[in-house]
Amino acid sequence: MRCSCSFCLAFYYFFPNCSTTVSSPFRHPYLGSRSVQEIGGMDGETGEEGRPMDLRNWHRERRWRPYRADLHREVARLRAPAFARYRVEVRKDELDDPNWEAEADEEESTRPFSAAMATIKKRVEWRKSNPAGDVLGWTPSSRQRLRRAPPLLHLCLMSLVKHGEEIESLEGIPDDLKHKIVSLLCSNRKMNSRILRTYLNGSTTEIHLTDCSWASEDVIQDAFTSCNIDHLRLVQLDLSGRCMPDYVLHTIFAKSQYSFPSLVTLSLKGAYRLTDNVLSVLASSAPSLKSINLGKCSLITSCGIISLAEKLNLTELYIDNCQKIDVMQILPALESMEHLKVLSVAGASTVCDTFISRLMHACGYNMRELVVADCQKLTTKSVRAIGANCPNLRLLDLQRLNQLNDLALKYLANGCRSMTTLKLRQNQFSDEAIAAFLEASGGSLIELSLNNIAKVEHQTAIAVAHGCHSNLQNLDLSFCRRLTDEALGFIVDNCSHLSILKLFGCSQVTEQFLKGHSNSQVRIIGLTGSILDEMEMSKV
């Protein structure tokens, strides 16, 4: 006789050919080792209380109610495999393993990075089997290269800067040249209050002061009091910590409710005396503000950034080295910025993989520039999120991130195909991985920094010459001491648009390269015998 309890009914439903009965020697989950005869029959027989038991209403019987949940659980366990779907999950330790490859990517061999890596590996094997072979094929040119004369405009500007104290007026000078003269005066410590008043006279729409450390509070107040601020669209007051406390900025911005109606861009980098209190005044005085730079404003906190994000529709936000800002606290405010295109959080100790992953998922499609240099908690997982969500990224700064490996370049090469500026200073990437990235996605690069990457060698040199020759203008190879004269000559001669090459610390480079390359327009700085010295280049 078969048992008619809930468990056995389910058992015989799924296994109809099984002939096991309750009297057979197996342990019943609910009845134990007792048989049906010992506890009373269930199919037409009486129960323990001597009355018939109706199987159609068995769930109403009090004695079987505790077993209903077990029945449902058992039925779910038996039927679950039919509905299960396997989901690939990548563990963090697997992601950080440089030898790990995603098994779910069936077309990995056809991706740009993998195809380039396969070519480079063949090239490396050929070089190992033919150590005497000439891979680069560069020979020094014996033709005398003419030294290019500095532009006349550059000579005139440097003469003005040298005699800046004698400048009487800036009237009649085009705005772009006026801004350049003032920036050069600031960087050479030749700026004064008289030139500032002359600079701000008239109906200028932009103010560029890259160094305000020379000015006092009274100088800034007097200059802006006499200035027509109604048409200002850009204000740059960098390094203004000495002259820009809260009350000075209150005086400038609180002339009326909308004292800066046209202001779009504001830079207060290095204003270390500003607090959150002034940000509310800023938001009400400049309702059209789209870009703000608060880098190194050490007193600004998360509450101030949240308040600013709620009141303004920002597209660019710079909060470098603001140690009182917890990026996880401001993350919801950043995620709500639908038009955020530029974000700089360099040096922020709270930036982590979770922050980057969530932000890129929310705002990655619109992101154009991202600076995360010196954020030591970031790993390859963050770069994977960047590559997957930022197809329109143009500038990426990954300097001094020690936890990145070669997989990071793989994700960038397969996802970010239109970058114009990439900074990889002081990272642990291999020569082959850098070369594969440049071969796959380096065609659009205008500026590339490989400063202090110890493994940069011949493969990177070949990739730069082949993959970046069409657009590359600025290249930093400082402290890449494995590069030889032949490698550098091969790069310079093939990159016809290259205008600046930095080689600080490359002590292995000799006169053979300096006199043997044929690119007359390149400016080499950091070595003896370079075309323009470092000081002149910093002023251009």
Side-chain angles (χ1 to χ4, degrees):
M1 179 181 62
R2 291 185 175 183
C3 176
S4 299
C5 73
S6 57
F7 175 83
C8 290
L9 288 175
F11 180 84
Y12 292 125
Y13 176 79
F14 291 103
F15 303 95
N17 298 326
C18 183
S19 60
T20 305
T21 64
V22 176
S23 59
S24 301
F26 83 106
R27 184 174 181 83
H28 195 282
Y30 308 138
L31 307 180
S33 58
R34 296 180 296 170
S35 63
V36 175
Q37 290 81 359
E38 295 179 10
I39 64 172
M42 297 182 61
D43 192 3
E45 299 185 10
T46 59
E48 293 183 348
E49 299 178 356
R51 60 183 176 83
M53 183 179 294
D54 189 359
L55 290 178
R56 291 173 298 179
N57 299 322
W58 65 268
H59 58 279
R60 298 180 181 177
E61 294 294 332
R62 185 176 302 174
R63 60 181 298 186
W64 301 112
R65 287 178 183 176
Y67 307 128
R68 292 172 59 191
D70 294 334
L71 170 65
H72 296 161
R73 189 180 299 108
E74 185 67 19
V75 172
R77 185 186 67 80
L78 293 173
R79 300 197 65 182
F83 299 96
R85 295 291 183 271
Y86 179 71
R87 183 178 63 184
V88 178
E89 293 185 358
V90 181
R91 299 194 309 271
K92 183 178 184 299
D93 55 348
E94 290 179 334
L95 185 60
D96 292 337
D97 184 4
N99 298 320
W100 176 83
E101 293 184 1
E103 298 179 358
D105 194 353
E106 298 178 355
E107 300 180 355
E108 183 61 32
S109 60
T110 62
R111 303 294 291 273
F113 183 88
S114 298
M117 181 62 78
T119 303
I120 291 169
K121 287 182 178 179
K122 293 180 181 179
R123 191 187 303 157
V124 172
E125 292 298 327
W126 182 88
R127 181 178 174 84
K128 289 181 179 178
S129 60
N130 299 276
D134 189 1
V135 178
L136 299 176
W138 181 81
T139 55
S141 176
S142 59
R143 185 181 60 177
Q144 185 67 27
R145 186 177 64 255
L146 298 177
R147 182 173 180 178
R148 189 181 65 172
L152 181 59
L153 177 60
H154 172 73
L155 296 177
C156 294
L157 291 177
M158 297 312 301
S159 178
L160 283 174
V161 171
K162 185 177 180 180
H163 304 91
E165 64 277 359
E166 300 179 8
I167 296 178
E168 294 293 337
S169 175
L170 295 176
E171 294 183 5
I173 300 178
D175 286 345
D176 55 344
L177 287 181
K178 187 188 299 184
H179 301 322
K180 198 165 189 177
I181 292 172
V182 172
S183 297
L184 290 173
L185 290 171
C186 289
S187 60
N188 287 272
R189 310 293 296 176
K190 294 294 185 69
M191 194 68 180
N192 54 50
S193 58
R194 181 179 56 81
I195 298 177
L196 178 61
R197 287 192 298 268
T198 303
Y199 175 51
L200 297 182
N201 284 338
S203 58
T204 181
T205 60
E206 297 182 5
I207 296 176
H208 295 267
L209 295 176
T210 58
D211 186 355
C212 298
S213 59
W214 55 271
S216 63
E217 300 173 7
D218 296 335
V219 169
I220 295 295
Q221 282 183 313
D222 295 341
F224 276 90
T225 301
S226 59
C227 174
N228 183 9
I229 62 176
D230 294 337
H231 304 289
L232 281 176
R233 294 182 55 83
L234 184 149
V235 175
Q236 182 181 6
L237 301 174
D238 291 346
L239 303 181
S240 55
R242 175 171 175 260
C243 60
M244 195 66 68
D246 281 358
Y247 71 88
V248 172
L249 203 60
H250 270 285
T251 304
I252 296 174
F253 281 89
K255 290 183 177 181
S256 62
Q257 185 179 4
Y258 302 109
S259 55
F260 285 84
S262 303
L263 187 63
V264 176
T265 303
L266 176 64
S267 178
L268 298 172
K269 183 178 180 181
Y272 55 81
R273 298 172 67 183
L274 294 182
T275 64
D276 293 340
N277 298 328
V278 78
L279 296 183
S280 58
V281 179
L282 175 62
S284 60
S285 300
S288 301
L289 193 64
K290 299 295 183 182
S291 174
I292 184 169
N293 189 341
L294 298 174
K296 298 182 180 179
C297 295
S298 55
L299 298 181
I300 300 296
T301 67
S302 303
C303 296
I305 299 300
I306 294 174
S307 175
L308 201 65
E310 292 175 350
K311 297 177 181 178
L312 298 175
N313 187 16
L314 295 176
T315 59
E316 300 180 4
L317 178 62
Y318 301 84
I319 49 175
D320 304 338
N321 297 289
C322 296
Q323 300 304 330
K324 287 192 175 183
I325 297 178
D326 188 344
V327 296
M328 295 306 295
Q329 292 183 8
I330 67 173
L331 179 58
L334 296 180
E335 290 177 330
S336 64
M337 295 183 182
E338 299 179 355
H339 304 289
L340 184 64
K341 296 182 179 180
V342 179
L343 177 65
S344 180
V345 291
S349 59
T350 55
V351 174
C352 59
D353 292 337
T354 303
F355 171 78
I356 295 297
S357 299
R358 287 181 53 182
L359 183 63
M360 294 302 104
H361 180 74
C363 309
Y365 187 80
N366 295 324
M367 196 65 63
R368 297 297 186 272
E369 298 182 11
L370 180 63
V371 180
V372 291
D374 296 305
C375 297
Q376 298 300 327
K377 294 182 180 179
L378 294 184
T379 66
T380 305
K381 184 178 180 181
S382 296
V383 184
R384 185 180 189 182
I386 295 171
N389 297 283
C390 304
N392 301 313
L393 196 65
R394 298 292 182 268
L395 182 149
L396 181 61
D397 191 343
L398 300 176
Q399 298 184 84
R400 295 177 290 273
L401 301 183
N402 297 324
Q403 299 190 55
L404 300 186
N405 54 40
D406 289 350
L407 277 179
L409 295 179
K410 171 184 174 181
Y411 297 135
L412 290 180
N414 293 335
C416 304
R417 307 297 304 278
S418 303
M419 278 193 295
T420 58
T421 301
L422 179 63
K423 299 181 180 180
L424 304 175
R425 181 177 183 179
Q426 292 185 16
N427 283 305
Q428 306 299 321
F429 302 124
S430 66
D431 184 40
E432 292 78 8
I434 296 174
F437 170 81
L438 296 177
E439 292 277 5
S441 303
S444 59
L445 285 176
I446 297 176
E447 180 178 355
L448 174 64
S449 176
L450 303 176
N451 189 324
N452 211 349
I453 299 182
K455 298 179 181 179
V456 168
E457 205 172 349
H458 283 71
Q459 300 304 323
T460 298
I462 296 174
V464 171
H466 289 169
C468 309
H469 66 279
S470 57
N471 295 305
L472 190 63
Q473 300 177 12
N474 193 332
L475 178 61
D476 188 357
L477 297 174
S478 301
F479 300 98
C480 296
R481 294 190 173 94
R482 294 187 181 183
L483 292 175
T484 61
D485 290 336
E486 291 77 12
L488 293 173
F490 188 72
I491 292 173
V492 172
D493 286 354
N494 283 276
C495 297
S496 58
H497 294 88
L498 188 64
S499 58
I500 298 176
L501 176 62
K502 298 179 181 179
L503 295 176
F504 294 97
C506 295
S507 55
Q508 79 284 358
V509 179
T510 65
E511 294 291 330
Q512 181 182 10
F513 161 69
L514 293 176
K515 296 181 178 180
H517 72 82
S518 59
N519 192 339
S520 60
Q521 72 172 6
V522 68
R523 300 173 179 176
I524 304 173
I525 60 176
L527 291 177
T528 303
S530 57
I531 298 176
L532 291 179
D533 60 13
E534 179 184 1
M535 182 175 295
E536 289 182 344
M537 279 303 306
S538 65
K539 299 173 184 177
V540 175

